Each structure stands twice: as C-alpha cells, then as structure tokens.
Amino acid sequence: MEGLLNYYAADSFIHRLNPTLKLAGIMALMVAVTMAFDPWTPLAFFLLGLFMLKVLARVPVRQFIRPLLLFVVLGALGFISANAFFYTPLPGRPVTILWQAGGVRIILEGIRVGISLTLRMLAIVTLSILFVSTTDPTDFVLSLIQQARFPFRLGYGILVAYRFLPLWRTELEIIRAAHRIRGAGERPTLRGRWEQLQRYAVPLLASAIRKSERVAIAMDSKAFGALPQRTYYRDVHVRPMDWAFLAGCVLAAAAIVWGMAQLGLLEGYGVVPEA
Amino acid sequence: MAWIDVRHLTVRYPRAPRPALQDVSFQAERGETLLLLGPSGSGKSTLGLCLAGLIPDSVPAAMQGEVFIGGQNIANLSVGQRTAQVGIVFQDPEAQFCMLTVEDEVAFGLENMALPREEMGARIAESLRLVGLEERRRERVDRLSGGQKQRLALACALARRPSILFLDEPTANLDPAARFEFFQWLARLRAEQPETTIIIVEHILDDLIAMIDRVMLLSHEGRLVLSGAPAQVFQTNGEVLDEMGIWLPQVTALARKLRAAGLPLDHLPLTVDEAEEALAGILPRGPLPAEPPRRVQGVSAGGPPALEARRLSFRYRADAPEVLRDLSLTVPQGAFMALVGPNGAGKTTLALHFVDILRPPAGRVFLLGRDITELTTADITAQVGFVFQNPEHQFVERTVEAELAYSLRVRRRPESEIAQLTDALLASFGLTPYRKMNPFALSQGQKRRLSVATMLAVGQRILILDEPTFGQDRNTAHALMERLQTLHAAGVTILAITHDMQLVADYAGSAVAVVDGQVRFQGTPHALFANEELVAVAELRPPPLYQLARRFGLRYGDGTSPLSIREWMALLQGAPAAGGPAKRG
C-alpha cells in the first residue's frame, strides 16, 4: 500500500538541510531548466538531479525508479511522438523529413523538440523526487511556518490531513470487504463502477466528516489558534550550510547554462542557433 | 463557592428536535472525582464541551445558562483562558492527535499557550512521567498501542495544567487489560494531584467505581436526574438505572438480585472488596458441584466443522511481521465461541480468512469441510455472515427495508419471496417502524440490529461478529445477546470476537484465546479464566464475580470458579445452576 512517492527517512547532507531553503535551491534549478530548449542542457540538469538524489542524499534506486520510468514512458509516447508527427517549424526554417507516407510525415526537428521536452520533464521530476524523499513532512510544514511566514492554521491543517491519509486507505479497504460480504461483487462495467463508488462514498464520507470534526474539536480543546502568536518546541533552524546549498544550486544552474552556451549546445535563454 | 458551578445549562444543537442538555445545574469541588452516567445521546459529551468553553465557540450550538469555574463566569474569559481550565481526553484514540511524535503532540498544546521552550521541555517530561510514557518520548504516535494513545491524550491534557479533567469514555476502544491499566494510572494521578477535579464518562464501572466520589445521571432528555455518592445512587434507584440501560458494577448487580430474592443485605457493595465483606455471612456451606453448569450448545448437526483453519500463516506485506503464525482452529457446528486476545493479536485477521476477504492458500481454510479457495463468493456468503465492528461500513442501500432485501436481490430471488423474508426480518429484529428510514439515520443499537439482520437474510447458518457489544448500553447489548442466543438455539454457529468479558462469562459456550497470531487456549470460559497466566498474556481481566469467587475460595470440583450472576444465584439459593441460557444481570 505504499504510494508512488514517499519520504525516505535517512541521514544525509540533503536530509539535514532546512526544508524551505532546500526548496528554494531546488526551485532555482527547476526554473533554470525550463528555459532551455535544447536537449543537452536538460540532460545536464537531469544528471545533476540524479547525482544529488543517489550520491548526496543516498536514496536507493528502488525508491524512485517507478515514478521515473512512468515519466520516461509518458515522455516517449506523448512528447516525442506528438512532436515527430505534428512539428511546425519556425517560418523560413528548413525541416528534415525522415519518413513520409501520404499526409503523414516524421520530422527530425520534431523528435529533437520532443526529446528536449521529455528531458526537461525528467529533470523536474527528479528534482521533485529529491525534495519529497529527503524532507520530513512535519519539518517542511514547520519550516514553512517559521521561515516562510506560512499561516500556521493552514499548515497544521495540512499536517493533520497528511496524518490521516493512511487511515482513509484502511477505512476504504474495510468498506470494500464489508460490501463484498454483502454479496456486492465488484462489477467491471462503467455503470457498475459508478454505483460502487457511490456506495463506498457514503460510509467513507460519513466517517471522514466525523473524524475530522473530532480532530478539530480536540485541537480547539488545546487552545489551537486561541492566541495570535504561538511558540514552537521544535525549532527548524537555518544554518550557513543551508544558504550555501541555495547559493550552490544557483551557481550550478549558471555554470551549466554558461557551459552549454560555450559548447554551442544551448538553445533558449534568448540564444537562437545559427541556421 | 464551589470550584465548578453550573447553573441552568440548556444546550441545543442546530436542527436538533430537542435540547441536548436541559436545565442542568450542579456544583463540584476541587479534587472531586465525578462519574457521569447516562444513555447514549443524553448530553454527557456536550457537558464537557460546555465546561471547556468549546460550545458555542468551536461547536455551533445555542447555549443558555451559566458556567462558573473558580468563581469566574467562563463567558467573560478569552478562549485561551477557558481551555486552559479544562483538559479533555476523548474516546477515539485515532482522532485526537495532530502531530507525528509523542513529544510533539504534548508540545502542541503548550505551543498554543505560547510557553517558552525551556518550560515546555520540563512540562513534557513531567506529564509523560505521570502516565508512564517517559520512555516513549520520541516514539511515533501511530506506533503506540490503543492504551498508550489514551495515556498520551491524558498527558497532553495534564501538561497544560488544567484544574479540571474531563475524560469522555477514555477506555471505550481499549482491551480489558489496557482499560484496567488506564484506571490504575488515573488512581495514581488522583493521589499525586489531589487538587484536580476529574469528571469521567464511562460505561464499564467495575475497576473504576472505587475512586468515584459522586455519580451524576443524565436522562434521555438531557436532564440531570440523579446526583449523589455511588453507593446511595445505586442503592435506591435501581429501576431508573435499569430503564436507562446503565451498566452496574457486576457485584452490585449480583447483590441487587440477591436482595430481590430475599437475602439479607443491608447495603449494596460496589467493589469486589466490599462484596467480600457483604456476602461473608451468607455464603454457601459445603462443596460446590464437581463441574460448572454446561451452557446449552445449540443444535449440533454433527458433520464437518463449521469453520476450520489448518496451520494458517499470514502477513499483510512481504516485509511485514507475521500476523498469524501456523494457526490451527476448529469451530464445530453449533458452537457459540468467543474469540479473545489483545488488540493486534490477529483475531480479526483470522476471521477475515473465514470469509475469503483475506485469501488463504489452498488447503488451509475450510468452510463446512470444503476448501474455501474452491468456493465462489456467492457460495461463501450464502453460508457465513460477517458483522463488522462498525455497522455503517456494511450499509449499501438507502432504506432499512432495501438494505435487508439487498442480498436477496443480488441472488435474484423472486420479489414475493424477498418481500416475505424482509418483513419477517424487520419484525423479528424490531425494525418494522423504521423500514423506510435511511440506515445511517438509525440509533447505534438499531444500526447494530440491522447489520446482524442483513447477515441472516439469505439463511446463513454461521455468523461471525466483530465486537458485537462495542459502544452499546446495557439494554441494547442485552437485547442483541438474547437475539444471538435465540439464533444459536436454532442451530446457528456463532463466532464472536470480543473484549467484553461479561459476554464471555455469560453467553459463550467456549472461548479461544489468540495471542501473537497463535491459538493459546481453547476450552470453556470457566477454564479460560481459571488459567491465570493465560489471562495475563491475553490481556484479559477476569470478571469481577470470578474474582469474588476466588476470594472466597469457591471452586467447582474441576478447579474453576463461578463467573456469572446466574451461577452465583444458583449457589446461594441452592437452586440448580445447570441448563438454560445464562441471563445477564
């Protein structure tokens, strides 16, 4: 019953970073990669992300291989094939036709664009995995509240919701089992599924509403939000290392972009390759 | 002036047909321990929410009357000041925490008071010590047992240093040993903090009543109808308590019966200690029979066992620990078997294998002698009914009557037959007046009856129930058990997973204890409780009447002791105890 992507508890340099600054650094890399339109720059960012994930954060491959493969397949099927068939060149640019039959043709430049898109997506996915699998959710929310002035009521709401996720899954399984015993077989037809969903939804919602009311009352009974200010037992610190990580990310992004430009591989960032 | 002074409190929830509390007035001193009794829906929890000032702020409801705490009208206090006075422990261990670790959870309530960090550290340590969780300070909340969670909830309340503790059915979800332990910690707390006023809502009173100073009883209408010392309340108001379905301590229930039978008892005992004193003069002379009375064992059809597990092992995930370990169990046809053991021992997991919800490997689980893996879902559900702990989980239709007809419609029985069977079930379970109602709108007792009825619709001969008496008052639990007894007499095999020791003592013909995924005991309830080592590892509590019998050294020839009121009555009145179903007091 594990989700596709989870926090992977471990002790590493990346794990110990302040969540907010870690997020800022990783976001810097993500923004940098979105602006590169060639295949090589996103590839460099993708490899950098993998390096941080595997070597610096020591997250085992099995932890992130499934979501990654999912996006590889998605990219290959979606972006690459769509662009190969439907690529529209900039006006006045020649295209290289690899294969043609009737009105259908496969264009080399289209494949290139598709690969670039796929690699950009993979780089962003890898960086997201890097953040999610190395950040304790409680620390993340506390850090958002303490460092990023995130409203604490909302923050704690998110924490409670997160705590309850596995409970709902268990609850849904119990309801499914209970209904199966009633002789309510799960029918594969669309209508059957719809009716089934309705039948599961009522007890699940009834219980969800009841439980969330209870938690809300329990939190209120401990004076949650009674004072405009609250103190924190667990301080999420900001250390020089966190700022160094942020600076490092910005520098790495700049270095990659600059290096790619020097090699003449960069497109995007206002750089247009010569015809 | 009393520390708590409630004056003419009336509370009405929006769209409710009548007020939840009506004109309730009472006072309580510092250090008093009050027990709040009442049928479900009598406003017990509402009273706690009012004291803590959560009504009308957090819970929308119209409130009239006044609440004074420490001489101050709480309506004039800020939300922070109000909640600082009252610490609440709620019933549901799963729905009162919002943080992931023990110390963060305790800290949560202190952070809201904006305490400095150094003081929080000290208070966390202190409150965890008071409930015996100091070793678990950095543990994740979801790794705690139910009993530990409720003690954590108590610690969270204590850390805020309230003058009043309101405990709202804190042990309802716990197994018997955990309940006993919770009360032990509470007794210790009372000794250490004699200034704290404790108000506790509870149903099962045997291990609690000794520390209660005063009992208050709320009626169905939310009126405060009785208030006084426990002995006095139980002594003179038997009929009122019976009518409202209030559980009495078992020794009290026994003494009432004895008094009604004309035995000289000038006051009713509340605890086993008191009962030992009160009954000393009227104990039976001479030896007890060689064996305890046998319970009627239904109509046994002979033939293959109703349910059987052979060397069954199970784990939920490949990397998870084994929940069932090479477990073997035979449930003969016509049995009325109680399945007991600690939370998490594998009782429900085992039961789910008997209906193929959890799929066993071939050759491990047998239904009426046939390998369950070779049967279709329709075959299985035609033979076995399974009543889940929460009846709502099983409801699939919008009216009571459609709910009962559902399994029959799925099986495409003719409509005339469906109508006939549905009517018969409605009548026999007392649900006819509610036939057009939505199942979710029924009361707890009605929901439970409906869920049992639906499981018998297609003529199932085997009924598995998960905690059938959970959360019910004495009258509804009693009615349900009588119903099961009737079914059993008609030949239905019953397997009940339960923490209710009174159910085991009064109704079960046999008992099975599952500990750590293995059957550690199978035999009569008498033999179960006589095995003291087992009672400890299975986290059970011997029924109070058994404890009392042991105090007096009352043993049958086989070394076991009386468990139920019926047996005691037979012994003391000299009437034969054997035969007939046991009755609950």
Side-chain angles (χ1 to χ4, degrees):
Chain A
M1 284 308 294
E2 292 294 299
L4 203 56
L5 195 48
N6 288 303
Y7 171 55
Y8 175 79
D11 189 30
S12 78
F13 156 67
I14 303 276
H15 280 81
R16 282 191 298 271
L17 289 170
N18 175 287
T20 303
L21 289 179
K22 183 177 6 176
L23 183 65
I26 290 176
M27 292 281 273
L29 292 172
M30 287 185 179
V31 170
V33 77
T34 52
M35 294 194 294
F37 300 148
D38 63 285
W40 302 107
T41 316
L43 179 64
F45 278 94
F46 174 48
L47 293 175
L48 174 67
L50 279 182
F51 171 77
M52 287 162 75
L53 190 56
K54 185 72 194 68
V55 180
L56 295 185
R58 293 201 291 269
V59 176
V61 175
R62 65 179 155 77
Q63 189 72 15
F64 57 82
I65 191 71
R66 277 172 60 211
L68 219 50
L69 280 178
L70 182 80
F71 280 97
V72 168
V73 172
L74 215 68
L77 290 180
F79 292 142
I80 300 180
S81 60
N83 279 289
F85 290 119
F86 306 115
Y87 179 70
T88 322
L90 293 170
R93 296 242 165 191
V95 294
T96 319
I97 293 169
L98 292 178
W99 178 84
Q100 191 163 16
V104 183
R105 50 186 198 167
I106 291 180
I107 303 161
L108 179 63
E109 283 77 6
I111 294 180
R112 198 179 137 87
V113 168
I115 291 175
S116 167
L117 272 171
T118 305
L119 283 169
R120 258 181 279 169
M121 184 182 66
L122 282 178
I124 289 171
V125 167
T126 310
L127 291 166
S128 311
I129 296 174
L130 174 67
F131 182 76
V132 174
S133 37
T134 62
T135 310
D136 177 309
T138 310
D139 281 343
F140 178 42
V141 172
L142 286 180
S143 165
L144 280 180
I145 295 170
Q146 292 177 23
Q147 270 92 46
R149 296 172 186 277
F150 193 76
F152 70 81
R153 284 163 215 269
L154 196 56
Y156 276 84
I158 294 169
L159 268 185
V160 173
Y162 177 80
R163 218 184 78 78
F164 268 70
L165 278 180
L167 274 178
W168 299 139
R169 255 185 275 179
T170 320
E171 185 95 356
L172 181 63
E173 273 175 26
I174 295 174
I175 293 169
R176 286 180 62 179
H179 285 196
R180 249 170 70 198
I181 291 174
R182 296 298 309 276
E186 299 194 339
R187 274 173 297 159
T189 63
L190 211 57
R191 191 166 159 223
R193 272 171 201 259
W194 172 241
E195 286 174 358
Q196 204 167 289
L197 196 68
Q198 285 181 310
R199 282 204 307 266
Y200 293 162
V202 176
L204 197 61
L205 276 177
S207 142
I209 291 169
R210 203 172 301 146
K211 290 238 189 240
S212 40
E213 273 178 1
R214 284 181 193 159
V215 178
I217 293 174
M219 288 170 78
D220 280 354
S221 81
K222 293 175 197 161
F224 179 64
L227 302 178
Q229 285 298 313
R230 69 198 296 281
T231 50
Y232 291 91
Y233 176 62
R234 186 156 27 148
D235 240 352
V236 183
H237 297 281
V238 180
R239 296 187 181 83
M241 182 53 86
D242 302 312
W243 289 107
F245 174 79
L246 176 55
C249 286
V250 173
L251 280 176
I256 290 175
V257 172
W258 183 79
M260 289 294 166
Q262 290 302 304
L263 294 170
L265 297 172
L266 185 71
E267 291 172 41
Y269 286 92
V271 179
V272 180
E274 287 158 39
Chain B
M1 187 176 187
W3 186 251
I4 303 177
D5 187 1
V6 174
R7 297 180 190 169
H8 305 292
L9 186 64
T10 297
V11 177
R12 187 181 203 118
Y13 290 105
R15 291 189 301 280
R18 56 167 187 79
L21 287 174
Q22 292 196 51
D23 196 23
V24 169
S25 301
F26 73 95
Q27 296 187 330
E29 302 295 340
R30 293 210 82 152
E32 257 195 298
T33 302
L34 273 67
L35 171 65
L36 195 53
L37 294 175
S40 56
S42 59
K44 304 184 292 290
S45 305
T46 303
L47 185 58
L49 297 178
C50 288
L51 288 176
L54 293 169
I55 289 177
D57 281 342
S58 302
V59 182
M63 176 179 145
Q64 287 158 14
E66 286 152 332
V67 176
F68 292 85
I69 293 177
Q72 282 186 296
N73 187 333
I74 63 165
N76 302 329
L77 299 178
S78 72
V79 179
Q81 287 168 320
R82 263 183 259 173
T83 49
Q85 288 291 351
V86 184
I88 309 188
V89 174
F90 296 91
Q91 172 184 345
D92 187 348
E94 303 308 328
Q96 54 184 316
F97 302 123
C98 56
M99 301 298 284
L100 295 174
T101 70
V102 168
E103 77 178 335
D104 283 342
E105 187 59 50
V106 182
F108 174 77
L110 305 175
E111 294 171 338
N112 294 333
M113 301 165 84
L115 288 185
R117 181 170 305 114
E118 309 71 53
E119 189 173 351
M120 284 195 243
R123 285 205 192 187
I124 292 170
E126 164 75 5
S127 60
L128 289 178
R129 182 189 64 78
L130 281 168
V131 300
L133 286 176
E134 61 268 64
E135 306 287 316
R136 299 299 191 114
R137 185 166 173 161
R138 286 175 214 287
E139 185 75 271
R140 284 177 60 117
V141 174
D142 56 11
R143 301 240 167 90
L144 300 181
S145 70
Q148 289 168 338
K149 281 184 185 154
Q150 291 304 75
R151 274 151 54 200
L152 170 60
L154 185 57
C156 290
L158 289 172
R160 294 165 51 77
R161 307 220 172 123
S163 64
I164 301 162
L165 272 179
F166 190 90
L167 313 177
D168 193 353
E169 303 194 35
T171 70
N173 294 49
L174 306 185
D175 58 39
R179 166 180 300 129
F180 179 65
E181 201 179 346
F182 185 88
F183 290 151
Q184 300 281 90
W185 283 105
L186 198 60
R188 217 166 299 174
L189 177 70
R190 254 176 107 239
E192 276 203 49
Q193 300 195 346
E195 287 287 276
T196 307
T197 305
I198 300 175
I199 303 179
I200 181 165
V201 182
E202 264 301 338
H203 291 303
I204 303 190
L205 309 178
D206 301 289
D207 293 324
L208 173 68
I209 198 72
M211 68 177 102
I212 299 297
D213 298 312
R214 186 144 58 98
V215 173
M216 298 201 298
L217 177 69
L218 289 169
S219 69
H220 289 285
E221 294 76 36
R223 292 183 188 279
L224 184 59
V225 287
L226 288 175
S227 175
Q232 178 205 339
V233 167
F234 292 140
Q235 186 94 355
T236 50
N237 301 285
E239 293 73 33
V240 183
L241 297 169
D242 285 349
E243 188 256 321
M244 290 185 195
I246 307 295
W247 297 101
L248 298 180
Q250 278 201 56
V251 292
T252 315
L254 171 66
R256 270 184 67 200
K257 285 248 159 131
L258 290 172
R259 190 150 70 173
L263 281 145
L265 275 168
D266 34 306
H267 74 277
L268 292 180
L270 301 174
T271 61
V272 173
D273 287 338
E274 288 174 25
E276 188 178 359
E277 206 174 303
L279 297 181
I282 51 175
L283 272 183
R285 311 266 177 255
L288 267 54
E291 274 184 20
R294 288 189 188 282
R295 301 255 159 79
V296 174
Q297 274 301 292
V299 185
S300 177
L307 302 165
E308 188 181 6
R310 288 185 202 157
R311 310 198 58 186
L312 178 65
S313 294
F314 180 76
R315 56 181 88 217
Y316 279 93
R317 283 202 322 270
D319 55 347
E322 278 193 325
V323 185
L324 302 178
R325 299 188 296 142
D326 210 18
L327 180 147
S328 298
L329 173 68
T330 302
V331 185
Q333 286 188 51
F336 193 138
M337 187 181 276
L339 195 54
V340 299
N343 277 328
K347 304 185 297 290
T348 302
T349 304
L350 172 63
L352 290 174
H353 278 92
F354 286 138
V355 279
D356 202 33
I357 289 296
L358 293 176
R359 177 150 276 253
R364 296 286 177 208
V365 175
F366 298 83
L367 170 61
L368 294 166
R370 294 171 67 191
D371 189 331
I372 202 162
T373 57
E374 290 164 12
L375 301 174
T376 66
T377 303
D379 288 337
I380 297 166
T381 52
Q383 300 289 350
V384 194
F386 193 111
V387 180
F388 279 73
Q389 182 171 345
N390 179 354
E392 286 184 4
H393 284 150
Q394 297 187 272
F395 295 154
V396 293
E397 287 285 359
R398 280 160 208 210
T399 65
V400 168
E401 128 190 289
E403 194 65 53
L404 287 168
Y406 179 81
S407 313
L408 299 164
R409 293 223 168 92
V410 169
R411 289 181 160 75
R412 300 184 197 287
R413 300 273 182 91
E415 278 298 322
S416 60
E417 186 194 333
I418 293 178
Q420 197 192 336
L421 279 167
T422 306
D423 285 345
L425 281 169
L426 283 169
S428 98
F429 281 84
L431 291 167
T432 312
Y434 316 105
R435 64 189 302 159
K436 298 284 180 204
M437 269 175 76
N438 190 304
F440 282 86
L442 298 174
S443 75
Q444 279 308 314
Q446 291 160 352
K447 279 181 192 163
R448 170 61 72 201
R449 293 213 298 278
L450 177 59
S451 67
V452 175
T454 57
M455 281 303 146
L456 299 166
V458 295
Q460 289 94 328
R461 304 296 294 162
I462 303 168
L463 197 54
I464 302 175
L465 304 104
D466 196 350
E467 296 288 355
T469 56
F470 175 79
Q472 298 189 51
D473 63 36
R474 178 161 59 121
N475 292 348
T476 52
H478 182 75
L480 176 70
M481 293 315 295
E482 292 297 311
R483 167 87 38 215
L484 292 182
Q485 198 137 52
T486 312
L487 289 167
H488 178 232
V492 175
T493 305
I494 291 175
L495 178 66
I497 300 171
T498 189
H499 287 318
D500 182 346
M501 293 299 103
Q502 207 175 341
L503 185 161
V504 181
D506 290 356
Y507 292 95
S510 57
V512 168
V514 174
V515 180
D516 282 338
Q518 289 181 318
V519 170
R520 292 286 294 273
F521 171 89
Q522 179 163 10
T524 66
H526 286 89
L528 171 73
F529 291 116
N531 185 339
E532 275 166 29
E533 191 194 337
L534 179 81
V535 165
V537 297
E539 297 187 13
L540 308 173
R541 279 284 288 163
L545 295 184
Y546 170 89
Q547 297 174 32
L548 186 62
R550 286 295 192 190
R551 297 274 181 98
F552 286 126
L554 291 178
R555 283 165 205 260
Y556 295 110
D558 63 0
T560 65
S561 295
L563 306 173
S564 65
I565 289 185
R566 189 181 173 82
E567 284 170 75
W568 269 90
M569 292 298 290
L571 292 175
L572 294 178
Q573 293 181 295
K583 283 271 189 292
R584 208 171 249 232

